[in-house]
Amino acid sequence: MIKVGSDPLELLRSTSEKRDFCGADGKRRPGVHWIFGMSTTGGDDVAPNLRTVGLQRITEHGIDYVTRTHSSSTSSISELPSSILYTVGKYSPGESIEQWRGEGYSEPLDLGELLDCIPHYTIVEMIASRRGRLELKEKDQEEHDERTIIDRRTHFMELVQKTRIELENGDITHDEMSQSIAAYRYIPNRMERMIGGPDHIMWDRWEWNRENGGEWLEPRHLLPY
């Protein structure tokens, strides 16, 4: 029988390290494009909120990521049931592709824990976006939160460049970063990994579940479909 280990988070971290996405500490390597999809419950008659988020770190405690800070409590993803989807690899001869799925919830995390691995372009654009919303609010006296329209592209590009220079010079305060960027830890209660390719006889699919939110139970080898 194939041995996959009893901790899916450690397996995900180790396979990501082999692909050079992260180091032994689970932190994103500089310049790496490392993302996953997250769907959060939308409530009655509301479509789930699907977003792409940057994966910053994987540890035994969960999957750490950042989003922009939301001013509305209803936009918060903290503690809402959510599912994730992470796919990596190539479906081509000599290669394999693996798909990870998870079910769980997110908890707020101190932003300082992740600042050294968040790409600078992410920090810059999240701060610049908040500045852009504040400018529009001052201009028309209305709140701008979800899916704000760019008023003038050239002006926003100037705002991004100005923010980038300020970040490089160390002129952006920690308060402004915290008001622009929110860090979270995704804590899965169930995870699946499916791996295969054109050279494989079948998809290899495994499932892990936590026992009452505690330790992981032994993995189960599932039928592909």
Side-chain angles (χ1 to χ4, degrees):
M1 178 180 289
I2 298 174
K3 299 295 183 182
V4 294
S6 60
D7 187 340
L9 291 170
E10 171 55 26
L11 178 60
L12 178 56
R13 187 212 60 78
S14 63
T15 57
S16 298
E17 183 182 7
K18 289 176 183 176
R19 293 180 182 274
D20 212 28
F21 290 151
C22 67
D25 58 0
K27 288 187 175 182
R28 171 204 288 260
R29 291 194 185 279
V32 169
H33 185 64
W34 204 19
I35 60 172
F36 65 97
M38 171 178 282
S39 178
T40 306
T41 180
D44 294 339
D45 300 322
V46 179
N49 187 348
L50 178 62
R51 70 189 80 200
T52 301
V53 294
L55 204 165
Q56 308 300 332
R57 181 175 64 180
I58 300 173
T59 69
E60 62 182 358
H61 305 295
I63 301 171
D64 300 343
Y65 65 97
V66 295
T67 69
R68 71 176 180 86
T69 300
H70 293 265
S71 60
S72 170
S73 60
T74 59
S75 299
S76 174
I77 58 178
S78 176
E79 298 183 357
L80 290 175
S82 53
S83 300
I84 63 169
L85 177 64
Y86 172 66
T87 304
V88 64
K90 293 181 179 179
Y91 191 84
S92 59
E95 302 274 357
S96 65
I97 188 167
E98 58 181 292
Q99 179 192 93
W100 287 84
R101 288 183 285 181
E103 296 171 2
Y105 62 97
S106 295
E107 287 185 347
L109 191 66
D110 188 289
L111 181 61
E113 290 193 35
L114 301 180
L115 275 179
D116 62 339
C117 55
I118 303 174
H120 279 198
Y121 57 80
T122 298
I123 296 174
V124 167
E125 292 189 33
M126 284 189 176
I127 293 174
S129 293
R130 178 176 178 272
R131 290 179 174 181
R133 280 190 292 274
L134 290 176
E135 282 188 358
L136 287 173
K137 179 182 177 181
E138 185 175 343
K139 176 182 176 182
D140 56 25
Q141 300 300 307
E142 292 183 7
E143 288 290 340
H144 292 271
D145 190 31
E146 295 290 338
R147 300 176 177 83
T148 306
I149 296 174
I150 293 178
D151 190 26
R152 288 186 296 122
R153 186 172 186 270
T154 53
H155 173 66
F156 183 69
M157 290 175 66
E158 291 172 358
L159 194 58
V160 170
Q161 293 289 60
K162 180 177 181 293
T163 306
R164 178 175 290 110
I165 293 171
E166 289 183 22
L167 180 65
E168 292 172 352
N169 292 337
D171 295 332
I172 294 179
T173 66
H174 187 271
D175 282 348
E176 185 174 17
M177 283 194 183
S178 297
Q179 291 166 357
S180 306
I181 308 168
Y184 293 94
R185 171 166 292 158
Y186 182 74
I187 302 173
N189 293 316
R190 191 185 78 86
M191 291 191 77
E192 278 192 26
R193 181 204 193 200
M194 189 158 67
I195 185 169
D199 301 329
H200 294 223
I201 295 175
M202 67 175 201
W203 289 99
D204 204 26
R205 182 183 176 200
W206 292 84
E207 178 193 50
W208 294 261
N209 286 279
R210 286 189 194 270
E211 185 175 22
N212 298 321
E215 299 296 320
W216 290 104
L217 300 173
E218 285 300 308
R220 302 193 307 162
H221 205 178
L222 304 180
L223 292 171
Y225 296 100

